[in-house]
Short mmCIF file of all heavy atoms in Angstrom, two decimals:
data_model
loop_
_atom_site.label_atom_id
_atom_site.label_comp_id
_atom_site.label_asym_id
_atom_site.label_seq_id
_atom_site.Cartn_x
_atom_site.Cartn_y
_atom_site.Cartn_z
N ARG A 48 -32.30 18.62 32.18
CA ARG A 48 -31.59 17.64 31.37
C ARG A 48 -32.30 16.37 31.20
O ARG A 48 -32.07 15.60 30.20
CB ARG A 48 -30.31 17.38 32.15
CG ARG A 48 -29.28 18.40 31.93
CD ARG A 48 -27.98 18.20 32.62
NE ARG A 48 -27.46 16.76 32.48
CZ ARG A 48 -26.84 16.14 33.44
NH1 ARG A 48 -26.70 16.73 34.70
NH2 ARG A 48 -26.36 14.95 33.35
N ARG A 80 -25.75 10.67 28.53
CA ARG A 80 -24.94 11.39 29.55
C ARG A 80 -25.74 11.90 30.63
O ARG A 80 -25.43 12.96 31.16
CB ARG A 80 -24.09 12.56 28.87
CG ARG A 80 -23.28 12.09 27.67
CD ARG A 80 -22.39 13.24 27.17
NE ARG A 80 -21.46 13.68 28.08
CZ ARG A 80 -20.25 13.05 28.36
NH1 ARG A 80 -19.97 11.93 27.72
NH2 ARG A 80 -19.46 13.46 29.27
N TYR A 83 -24.91 8.71 36.41
CA TYR A 83 -25.29 7.47 37.14
C TYR A 83 -25.98 6.40 36.31
O TYR A 83 -27.05 6.15 36.52
CB TYR A 83 -26.26 7.81 38.38
CG TYR A 83 -25.61 8.61 39.44
CD1 TYR A 83 -26.31 9.62 40.13
CD2 TYR A 83 -24.19 8.49 39.79
CE1 TYR A 83 -25.76 10.47 41.28
CE2 TYR A 83 -23.64 9.22 40.78
CZ TYR A 83 -24.33 10.11 41.42
OH TYR A 83 -23.83 10.92 42.52
N PRO A 84 -25.16 5.82 35.39
CA PRO A 84 -25.75 4.91 34.41
C PRO A 84 -26.30 3.66 35.07
O PRO A 84 -27.08 2.90 34.47
CB PRO A 84 -24.57 4.59 33.55
CG PRO A 84 -23.36 4.93 34.35
CD PRO A 84 -23.75 6.07 35.13
N ARG A 85 -25.90 3.36 36.36
CA ARG A 85 -26.52 2.25 37.00
C ARG A 85 -28.01 2.39 37.12
O ARG A 85 -28.79 1.38 37.16
CB ARG A 85 -25.87 2.05 38.40
CG ARG A 85 -24.45 1.69 38.43
CD ARG A 85 -23.93 1.26 39.77
NE ARG A 85 -23.90 2.21 40.72
CZ ARG A 85 -23.26 2.23 41.91
NH1 ARG A 85 -22.67 1.09 42.26
NH2 ARG A 85 -23.26 3.20 42.69
N ARG A 235 -15.04 7.58 39.58
CA ARG A 235 -16.24 7.96 38.88
C ARG A 235 -15.88 8.65 37.58
O ARG A 235 -16.59 8.43 36.51
CB ARG A 235 -17.14 8.85 39.74
CG ARG A 235 -17.52 8.10 41.00
CD ARG A 235 -17.95 9.20 41.99
NE ARG A 235 -19.15 9.86 41.76
CZ ARG A 235 -19.63 10.83 42.49
NH1 ARG A 235 -18.95 11.34 43.54
NH2 ARG A 235 -20.73 11.52 42.04
N ARG A 238 -14.54 5.98 35.21
CA ARG A 238 -15.77 5.13 34.80
C ARG A 238 -16.49 5.86 33.66
O ARG A 238 -16.92 5.27 32.72
CB ARG A 238 -16.57 4.77 35.92
CG ARG A 238 -16.05 3.76 36.97
CD ARG A 238 -16.84 3.75 38.30
NE ARG A 238 -18.23 3.58 38.09
CZ ARG A 238 -18.84 2.31 38.43
NH1 ARG A 238 -18.09 1.34 39.07
NH2 ARG A 238 -20.13 2.04 38.23
N GLY A 239 -16.74 7.08 33.96
CA GLY A 239 -17.52 7.89 32.87
C GLY A 239 -16.79 7.93 31.60
O GLY A 239 -17.54 7.74 30.60
P DC B 3 -17.28 9.18 55.17
OP1 DC B 3 -16.01 9.14 55.58
OP2 DC B 3 -18.17 10.46 55.18
"O5'" DC B 3 -17.48 8.33 53.84
"C5'" DC B 3 -17.15 6.99 53.83
"C4'" DC B 3 -17.60 6.36 52.48
"O4'" DC B 3 -18.98 6.22 52.49
"C3'" DC B 3 -17.27 7.23 51.20
"O3'" DC B 3 -16.53 6.55 50.36
"C2'" DC B 3 -18.70 7.56 50.69
"C1'" DC B 3 -19.60 6.43 51.23
N1 DC B 3 -20.98 6.79 51.33
C2 DC B 3 -22.00 5.84 50.94
O2 DC B 3 -21.50 4.66 50.32
N3 DC B 3 -23.20 6.09 51.06
C4 DC B 3 -23.67 7.24 51.53
N4 DC B 3 -24.90 7.47 51.72
C5 DC B 3 -22.67 8.18 52.10
C6 DC B 3 -21.45 7.89 51.94
P DC B 4 -15.86 7.34 49.20
OP1 DC B 4 -14.41 7.01 49.08
OP2 DC B 4 -16.33 8.71 49.19
"O5'" DC B 4 -16.61 6.60 47.92
"C5'" DC B 4 -16.61 5.09 47.83
"C4'" DC B 4 -17.60 4.68 46.97
"O4'" DC B 4 -18.94 4.92 47.47
"C3'" DC B 4 -17.66 5.51 45.63
"O3'" DC B 4 -17.34 4.60 44.45
"C2'" DC B 4 -18.88 6.10 45.46
"C1'" DC B 4 -19.80 5.33 46.46
N1 DC B 4 -20.99 6.12 47.05
C2 DC B 4 -22.24 5.81 46.84
O2 DC B 4 -22.50 4.86 46.34
N3 DC B 4 -23.20 6.59 47.36
C4 DC B 4 -22.85 7.74 48.04
N4 DC B 4 -23.81 8.56 48.55
C5 DC B 4 -21.37 8.07 48.23
C6 DC B 4 -20.57 7.38 47.82
P DC B 5 -16.97 5.23 43.00
OP1 DC B 5 -16.25 4.21 42.33
OP2 DC B 5 -16.50 6.65 43.18
"O5'" DC B 5 -18.44 5.34 42.36
"C5'" DC B 5 -19.16 4.09 42.15
"C4'" DC B 5 -20.45 4.39 41.62
"O4'" DC B 5 -21.27 5.08 42.68
"C3'" DC B 5 -20.55 5.41 40.41
"O3'" DC B 5 -21.36 4.98 39.36
"C2'" DC B 5 -21.07 6.69 41.06
"C1'" DC B 5 -22.05 6.13 42.13
N1 DC B 5 -22.36 7.15 43.05
C2 DC B 5 -23.61 7.30 43.52
O2 DC B 5 -24.51 6.57 43.11
N3 DC B 5 -23.87 8.27 44.50
C4 DC B 5 -22.93 8.99 44.94
N4 DC B 5 -23.25 9.98 45.83
C5 DC B 5 -21.61 8.89 44.54
C6 DC B 5 -21.27 7.97 43.66
P DG B 6 -20.96 5.68 37.90
OP1 DG B 6 -22.07 5.28 36.95
OP2 DG B 6 -19.57 5.27 37.60
"O5'" DG B 6 -20.97 7.22 38.17
"C5'" DG B 6 -20.27 8.04 37.40
"C4'" DG B 6 -21.06 8.60 36.23
"O4'" DG B 6 -22.24 9.32 36.74
"C3'" DG B 6 -20.37 9.55 35.31
"O3'" DG B 6 -21.07 9.62 34.07
"C2'" DG B 6 -20.60 10.91 35.92
"C1'" DG B 6 -22.04 10.77 36.49
N9 DG B 6 -22.30 11.38 37.81
C8 DG B 6 -21.57 11.43 39.00
N7 DG B 6 -22.14 12.02 40.03
C5 DG B 6 -23.37 12.48 39.42
C6 DG B 6 -24.43 13.11 40.06
O6 DG B 6 -24.57 13.54 41.16
N1 DG B 6 -25.52 13.20 39.11
C2 DG B 6 -25.51 12.78 37.93
N2 DG B 6 -26.65 13.04 37.13
N3 DG B 6 -24.50 12.19 37.29
C4 DG B 6 -23.46 11.94 38.02
P DT B 7 -20.37 10.33 32.89
OP1 DT B 7 -20.79 9.78 31.57
OP2 DT B 7 -18.88 10.39 33.13
"O5'" DT B 7 -21.03 11.72 32.92
"C5'" DT B 7 -22.37 11.88 32.59
"C4'" DT B 7 -22.75 13.25 32.93
"O4'" DT B 7 -22.79 13.44 34.33
"C3'" DT B 7 -21.88 14.44 32.45
"O3'" DT B 7 -22.52 15.09 31.33
"C2'" DT B 7 -21.62 15.28 33.63
"C1'" DT B 7 -22.72 14.98 34.52
N1 DT B 7 -22.47 15.08 36.02
C2 DT B 7 -23.56 15.68 36.67
O2 DT B 7 -24.47 16.03 36.29
N3 DT B 7 -22.97 15.92 38.08
C4 DT B 7 -21.93 15.50 38.67
O4 DT B 7 -21.74 15.67 39.95
C5 DT B 7 -20.93 14.93 37.86
C7 DT B 7 -19.65 14.57 38.45
C6 DT B 7 -21.24 14.70 36.54
P DG B 8 -21.79 16.18 30.42
OP1 DG B 8 -22.27 15.93 29.07
OP2 DG B 8 -20.33 16.24 30.67
"O5'" DG B 8 -22.45 17.41 30.99
"C5'" DG B 8 -23.79 17.50 31.04
"C4'" DG B 8 -24.28 18.68 31.86
"O4'" DG B 8 -23.94 18.44 33.31
"C3'" DG B 8 -23.58 20.16 31.51
"O3'" DG B 8 -24.54 21.07 31.52
"C2'" DG B 8 -22.59 20.22 32.61
"C1'" DG B 8 -23.46 19.61 33.83
N9 DG B 8 -22.60 19.28 35.04
C8 DG B 8 -21.45 18.65 35.01
N7 DG B 8 -20.93 18.54 36.27
C5 DG B 8 -21.98 19.04 37.07
C6 DG B 8 -22.09 19.07 38.44
O6 DG B 8 -21.25 18.78 39.36
N1 DG B 8 -23.22 19.65 38.93
C2 DG B 8 -24.26 20.10 38.04
N2 DG B 8 -25.35 20.61 38.56
N3 DG B 8 -24.11 20.07 36.77
C4 DG B 8 -22.98 19.45 36.32
P DG B 9 -24.33 22.44 30.78
OP1 DG B 9 -24.98 22.40 29.54
OP2 DG B 9 -22.84 22.75 30.84
"O5'" DG B 9 -25.02 23.46 31.72
"C5'" DG B 9 -26.19 23.09 32.41
"C4'" DG B 9 -26.37 23.85 33.77
"O4'" DG B 9 -25.45 23.19 34.66
"C3'" DG B 9 -25.76 25.28 33.68
"O3'" DG B 9 -26.75 26.11 34.31
"C2'" DG B 9 -24.46 25.23 34.58
"C1'" DG B 9 -24.74 24.05 35.39
N9 DG B 9 -23.61 23.54 36.07
C8 DG B 9 -22.53 22.89 35.20
N7 DG B 9 -21.50 22.47 35.99
C5 DG B 9 -22.03 22.72 37.32
C6 DG B 9 -21.38 22.37 38.53
O6 DG B 9 -20.31 21.82 38.72
N1 DG B 9 -22.17 22.81 39.57
C2 DG B 9 -23.32 23.49 39.54
N2 DG B 9 -23.85 23.87 40.65
N3 DG B 9 -23.92 23.73 38.32
C4 DG B 9 -23.17 23.31 37.30
P DT B 10 -26.67 27.82 34.07
OP1 DT B 10 -28.02 28.24 33.78
OP2 DT B 10 -25.43 28.04 33.27
"O5'" DT B 10 -26.29 28.22 35.60
"C5'" DT B 10 -27.03 27.59 36.64
"C4'" DT B 10 -26.39 27.92 38.07
"O4'" DT B 10 -25.27 27.21 38.37
"C3'" DT B 10 -25.95 29.51 37.99
"O3'" DT B 10 -26.33 30.04 39.22
"C2'" DT B 10 -24.46 29.37 38.02
"C1'" DT B 10 -24.24 27.98 38.69
N1 DT B 10 -22.90 27.29 38.45
C2 DT B 10 -22.21 26.83 39.40
O2 DT B 10 -22.49 26.98 40.61
N3 DT B 10 -21.09 26.20 38.98
C4 DT B 10 -20.62 26.07 37.74
O4 DT B 10 -19.56 25.45 37.49
C5 DT B 10 -21.52 26.59 36.82
C7 DT B 10 -21.12 26.46 35.29
C6 DT B 10 -22.63 27.17 37.13
P DC B 11 -26.44 31.79 39.22
OP1 DC B 11 -27.85 32.10 39.70
OP2 DC B 11 -25.90 32.34 37.86
"O5'" DC B 11 -25.46 32.13 40.31
"C5'" DC B 11 -25.55 31.54 41.71
"C4'" DC B 11 -24.33 31.76 42.44
"O4'" DC B 11 -23.32 30.88 41.88
"C3'" DC B 11 -23.72 33.17 42.39
"O3'" DC B 11 -23.15 33.45 43.80
"C2'" DC B 11 -22.62 33.06 41.34
"C1'" DC B 11 -22.16 31.59 41.69
N1 DC B 11 -21.47 30.97 40.49
C2 DC B 11 -20.49 30.00 40.66
O2 DC B 11 -20.30 29.61 41.71
N3 DC B 11 -19.89 29.45 39.66
C4 DC B 11 -20.19 29.91 38.38
N4 DC B 11 -19.57 29.38 37.35
C5 DC B 11 -21.12 30.88 38.17
C6 DC B 11 -21.81 31.46 39.12
#
Side-chain angles (χ1 to χ4, degrees):
Chain A
R48 280 181 45 217
R80 304 188 65 80
Y83 289 147
R85 294 193 293 192
R235 294 158 72 186
R238 286 166 58 108

